Amino acid sequence: MAGKKRVRRTRAAKKGGHPFLVLLFFIALIMGSAYMTDRMTNAPDSEVAQNVTTIGHLFNDKEMQGLVPKEDQGTPESVKEKIKAAMDKVVTVQVKADDEEPAGSSVSSNEKKDGSQTMEKGKKASFSLPSIVSKITGKEESHENTAAPSSLQGKPTEAASSAVSSTSSSTSSSTVSTASSHRSQAAAAPSVKKDGGNTKAPAKQSAAPLKAAPASAPRPNTPSVVKGKLAVVIDDAGRDLASQHVYESLGIPLTLAVMPNQVHTRDAALSWHAHGLPVILHQPMESVSGIGMESKVILTSMSDEEIRSLLKSSLSQVPEAVGINNHQGSKATTDRHTMEVVMNELHHRHLFFFDSRTNSTTAADGAAASYGVPYVRNDLFVDNEADVAAISAMIREAAKRAQKYGTYVIIGHCRPKTAEAFRQMVPQLEKEGIQFVYVSSLAK
């Protein structure tokens, strides 16, 4: 027994995988399935992708037309407001058409049923993307503007809807035409939209009608013997279109300074530009006294971003501007930092600065030089008195100084008596050898 050896039994190796590996495999399988399911259910279909692309092209077109400045393309809130306004317009048109069925009309029940079904389809179609896009761009779909006379007689609700839709289309067409005209340097006349062979006149505009002569460039103004050059800037445009039209009729080189945020800001800029004359922005700035300032003014207490934002807003209203000058601004133009912020913005936009010189000292010239902005300053205000004879005498004095110094720069305003004084004096001065030039030609 003592010599007997013990025999060891070896354990057989377990067959099969580790239980934790199997668990990990199932977890990975579940997560992969969940991911693929999410991708498949949330993936945009072709219609959604097309809608997103269409909206993108829409606002790119608006930017190219100049309706949305490239430097300030708007906020999501503004886009929402445009889309909401378009949808509200659609709802208003359809509801109004439903309510306009004349009392006592002899329309049969079948016709009413057909008409209601048609209106229901119209309502559903009105909330589609093409309808909303057409309301924003002013390009109505052709089927909305075409209606057979017989159907109009039998279905008054559809006739009312078509009429209201036609009116809204005409108004939108006039707005887009006006906006694109100033970008292409054309006259500011509303276009006539043609659809399906029918010509539709644009809707009436709220602004006063322009009374200017047909657009034409100023005639050559080179006397046989030039005794002096006189540059004239007309300030405060955008308030009195009648006086502006007097200046436009003179046919000589003049520069118009258009104020932002005025009732006729756009009319003034478009009319002047249509006559081939240069426009500049007449930007309100802080004065020493602070009396009689505009509601939106560049202040020395503003931050750099506030100054830039205000200046961008003003320039967006006068996209024809080739430069700017200050309205009031006796305090702002003496503040070097404020002027440097302004000149920085003008440098990026390639605009010149015309200093109205409302103060005997100025920091605008040094700031303009530091940013390479062309600069020119005013020499004389000719209409400090509201009398035609007194204004004419000041214009005569300016002509004498132009003969003495070679060039001279003056400022008048869009006022009836100032316009009359220039109307009387310009022919006389031309005969005496005074050449009228653009103020931009004297900027250095």
Side-chain angles (χ1 to χ4, degrees):
M1 294 294 292
K4 190 177 180 179
K5 294 182 180 181
R6 296 179 63 183
V7 179
R8 283 188 169 185
R9 293 181 180 180
T10 58
R11 294 183 179 180
K14 292 182 178 180
K15 296 181 179 181
H18 196 283
F20 287 107
L21 294 178
V22 177
L23 180 61
L24 289 174
F25 173 78
F26 278 105
I27 292 175
L29 181 61
I30 293 172
M31 292 180 65
S33 300
Y35 175 77
M36 292 302 298
T37 303
D38 180 74
R39 292 289 295 173
M40 293 176 65
T41 56
N42 294 329
D45 56 14
S46 59
E47 183 179 358
V48 174
Q50 183 180 2
N51 292 348
V52 173
T53 304
T54 302
I55 293 177
H57 288 317
L58 165 65
F59 288 101
N60 286 339
D61 292 343
K62 289 295 183 183
E63 178 180 288
M64 293 302 294
Q65 293 174 10
L67 302 182
V68 180
K70 292 184 178 180
E71 295 82 2
D72 186 10
Q73 298 183 358
T75 61
E77 289 74 16
S78 63
V79 175
K80 291 178 182 178
E81 290 176 359
K82 291 180 180 179
I83 296 177
K84 183 178 181 299
M87 294 185 68
D88 290 342
K89 184 185 294 184
V90 173
V91 174
T92 302
V93 170
Q94 299 296 348
V95 172
K96 185 176 181 180
D98 283 337
D99 295 339
E100 285 183 352
E101 182 175 357
S105 61
S106 59
V107 181
S108 64
S109 60
N110 291 333
E111 290 179 341
K112 288 183 178 180
K113 183 176 180 181
D114 294 340
S116 62
Q117 291 177 353
T118 303
M119 289 301 298
E120 183 176 357
K121 293 179 181 179
K123 290 179 180 178
K124 292 181 180 178
S126 297
F127 287 98
S128 63
L129 179 66
S131 177
I132 295 176
V133 170
S134 66
K135 291 298 179 181
I136 297 176
T137 59
K139 298 178 181 179
E140 296 288 345
E141 296 178 359
S142 59
H143 67 82
E144 294 180 0
N145 297 324
T146 306
S150 59
S151 62
L152 290 180
Q153 294 176 1
K155 299 177 182 179
T157 56
E158 292 181 10
S161 176
S162 176
V164 176
S165 176
S166 174
T167 304
S168 63
S169 171
S170 178
T171 305
S172 301
S173 174
S174 176
T175 305
V176 173
S177 173
T178 304
S180 60
S181 64
H182 69 73
R183 299 295 298 179
S184 60
Q185 299 185 358
S191 65
V192 177
K193 183 176 179 180
K194 295 183 178 180
D195 190 0
N198 298 326
T199 303
K200 296 188 296 181
K204 295 182 180 180
Q205 299 180 353
S206 58
L210 301 179
K211 301 178 181 179
S216 60
R219 67 178 184 275
N221 178 241
T222 306
S224 56
V225 178
V226 178
K227 297 182 180 180
K229 296 182 179 180
L230 191 63
V232 181
V233 176
I234 306 300
D235 273 358
D236 293 357
R239 295 172 171 173
D240 183 1
L241 290 177
S243 297
Q244 176 179 323
H245 297 329
V246 175
Y247 292 113
E248 292 169 345
S249 67
L250 296 179
I252 61 172
L254 296 172
T255 302
L256 189 73
V258 180
M259 294 186 67
N261 308 307
Q262 301 298 314
V263 65
H264 296 307
T265 293
R266 290 303 302 132
D267 291 329
L270 287 170
S271 178
W272 195 267
H273 186 68
H275 283 77
L277 297 165
V279 175
I280 62 176
L281 172 69
H282 194 39
Q283 176 60 49
M285 298 186 183
E286 184 178 6
S287 64
V288 173
S289 65
I291 299 174
M293 294 196 304
E294 300 295 320
S295 58
K296 296 182 179 180
V297 183
I298 290 181
L299 303 172
T300 56
S301 59
M302 285 181 171
S303 65
D304 294 4
E305 186 56 35
E306 287 175 329
I307 295 175
R308 290 193 181 95
S309 177
L310 182 56
L311 193 55
K312 288 178 181 179
S313 174
S314 297
L315 286 169
S316 69
Q317 299 175 48
V318 191
E320 300 84 359
V322 296
I324 78 168
N325 74 322
N326 55 293
H327 172 70
Q328 297 182 339
S330 55
K331 183 176 182 179
T333 55
T334 59
D335 185 77
R336 179 60 183 257
H337 179 74
T338 301
M339 287 295 98
E340 285 185 346
V341 177
V342 172
M343 298 305 170
N344 189 325
E345 190 68 28
L346 299 186
H347 167 73
H348 292 300
R349 294 172 177 266
H350 306 288
L351 304 177
F352 73 89
F353 186 80
F354 173 53
D355 193 344
S356 300
R357 288 298 300 274
T358 53
N359 197 318
S360 57
T361 60
T362 183
D365 50 358
S370 64
Y371 284 95
V373 175
Y375 173 88
V376 61
R377 66 177 60 181
N378 172 46
D379 293 316
L380 180 68
F381 286 94
V382 298
D383 54 356
N384 289 330
E385 296 184 32
D387 179 74
V388 174
I391 298 170
S392 298
M394 293 297 292
I395 297 174
R396 170 68 65 187
E397 177 63 25
K400 292 180 179 179
R401 297 182 185 182
Q403 294 176 358
K404 180 178 180 180
Y405 301 114
T407 60
Y408 209 66
V409 182
I410 62 176
I411 289 179
H413 293 84
C414 262
R415 301 169 184 165
K417 294 184 178 179
T418 306
E420 175 60 22
F422 273 99
R423 189 189 67 79
Q424 296 178 12
M425 293 299 299
V426 165
Q428 300 178 28
L429 298 182
E430 286 183 313
K431 292 180 181 179
E432 296 170 6
I434 297 298
Q435 180 183 7
F436 291 91
V437 298
Y438 295 120
V439 69
S440 59
S441 66
L442 304 180
K444 299 178 181 179

